[in-house]
Amino acid sequence: MFAQGTKEQVERSLMAVRRHPLIISAEAGTLPLEHSKRWIFCAGRESRSFPWILKDLLAWTSDEKVKTILEENLYDELGSGDPSHAHFLHYLHLLDDLRVPRAEFDNYQERLGIKLALSLAFNIAKSRNAGRAIGYMLVNEAMTPVTYTAAKSALTGHFPHLRTNFFDLHIEVDDHHVAALYEAVEALPETEREDLEFGIALGRRGMEILLDEAYGIFDAHLEPIAITAPRWNPLTGVGEGTQAAG
């Protein structure tokens, strides 16, 4: 009923992500190796979590079409019957090809971007709200060709002989997932429109803040701000607090 409007909103979300400076730099071949590696660490956190997000969605989904889509997606993630081809294993092989020790990946200090992105995903997966879940999944899957093609371009600029199975596999299968999710959108009642649109907006928000982390936006201040400290008390003077914060 409202699939056309949904496609237009998804396309606007994709265009916004394409304009992120990290994507622009990656596609231009000017993204520094440091940012490329950080991006890969964020993508790995997402890849490691995604099967669990799908399982959380499957735990409450009652619509048979949506359940089938999620089951197929999970089947793909786990290697389509062959565990040696699980998507996260392809990610670990990518780390090996980049000569990144597993300990470096495990010990990566997560900033707010990936923390928020994963928190959004898990909360939507447990929300028991079909419209939001479908909207989030739709834009998340539709972004794969944009983000992974750019990541592939950035990394192969630094490592010309890099095997890119991890990226290629996701780009190939996510086109099928997106088409299936649009079929689920067609079956949604009109009452789900606002939740669907909100889910799409959340998916875009999660991806943009993940890209912000890879781009270094959260590097300057890693410690949480203790706003209960005396310097934040408005009765002690804003000027003093502002000066102390700087």
Side-chain angles (χ1 to χ4, degrees):
M1 287 183 293
F2 43 86
Q4 184 57 40
T6 300
K7 289 180 180 179
E8 291 171 359
Q9 185 185 359
V10 169
E11 186 54 39
R12 288 194 297 271
S13 298
L14 299 185
M15 288 300 297
V17 170
R18 289 187 183 104
R19 291 194 294 268
H20 193 284
L22 183 80
I23 299 292
I24 292 173
S25 181
E27 291 178 339
T30 58
L31 189 67
L33 180 58
E34 175 189 353
H35 293 311
S36 300
K37 281 181 61 177
R38 185 179 302 176
W39 189 5
I40 294 308
F41 287 163
C42 289
R45 294 296 199 277
E46 192 177 41
S47 177
R48 184 174 59 185
S49 303
F50 196 53
W52 300 101
I53 293 168
L54 292 171
K55 290 177 181 179
D56 281 346
L57 286 166
L58 280 165
W60 58 265
T61 301
S62 58
D63 184 281
E64 288 303 318
K65 180 181 286 291
V66 175
K67 184 176 291 187
T68 298
I69 292 168
L70 295 174
E71 287 173 344
E72 289 178 354
N73 202 328
L74 182 59
Y75 185 67
D76 289 338
E77 282 289 326
L78 299 180
S80 301
D82 184 351
S84 67
H85 286 291
H87 288 194
F88 186 63
L89 278 182
H90 281 293
Y91 173 80
L92 293 178
H93 295 325
L94 174 66
L95 290 185
D96 293 340
D97 289 343
L98 292 171
R99 298 180 182 176
V100 173
R102 303 288 170 84
E104 186 177 350
F105 168 67
D106 290 335
N107 295 329
Y108 168 68
Q109 185 176 9
E110 297 173 358
R111 275 74 164 180
L112 290 178
I114 188 62
K115 288 180 179 179
L116 177 56
L118 290 180
S119 180
L120 272 174
F122 276 110
N123 277 280
I124 290 169
K126 293 179 179 294
S127 69
R128 295 183 174 271
N129 185 301
R132 290 181 193 176
I134 292 173
Y136 179 90
M137 287 289 296
L138 181 56
V139 74
N140 191 268
E141 300 274 10
M143 282 183 186
T144 301
V146 175
T147 57
Y148 278 15
T149 299
K152 176 179 171 179
S153 177
L155 285 175
T156 52
H158 295 290
F159 302 91
H161 303 295
L162 181 69
R163 291 183 298 174
T164 58
N165 300 23
F166 174 74
F167 302 118
D168 298 335
L169 184 63
H170 279 81
I171 293 169
E172 178 184 346
V173 301
D174 281 1
D175 279 342
H176 169 71
H177 294 159
V178 169
L181 284 165
Y182 274 121
E183 292 180 14
V185 169
E186 292 278 11
L188 281 175
E190 179 67 27
T191 53
E192 295 280 1
R193 179 195 290 267
E194 290 187 3
D195 282 325
L196 176 70
E197 292 174 350
F198 188 47
I200 293 171
L202 289 175
R204 168 183 165 180
R205 190 184 309 171
M207 179 55 68
E208 286 178 327
I209 202 165
L210 184 154
L211 296 175
D212 288 343
E213 173 164 334
Y215 202 55
I217 299 301
F218 299 110
D219 286 1
H221 194 96
L222 299 180
E223 298 300 322
I225 300 173
I227 59 173
T228 56
R231 77 181 200 187
W232 297 106
N233 187 334
L235 299 180
T236 63
V238 175
E240 178 184 350
T242 304
Q243 184 177 7

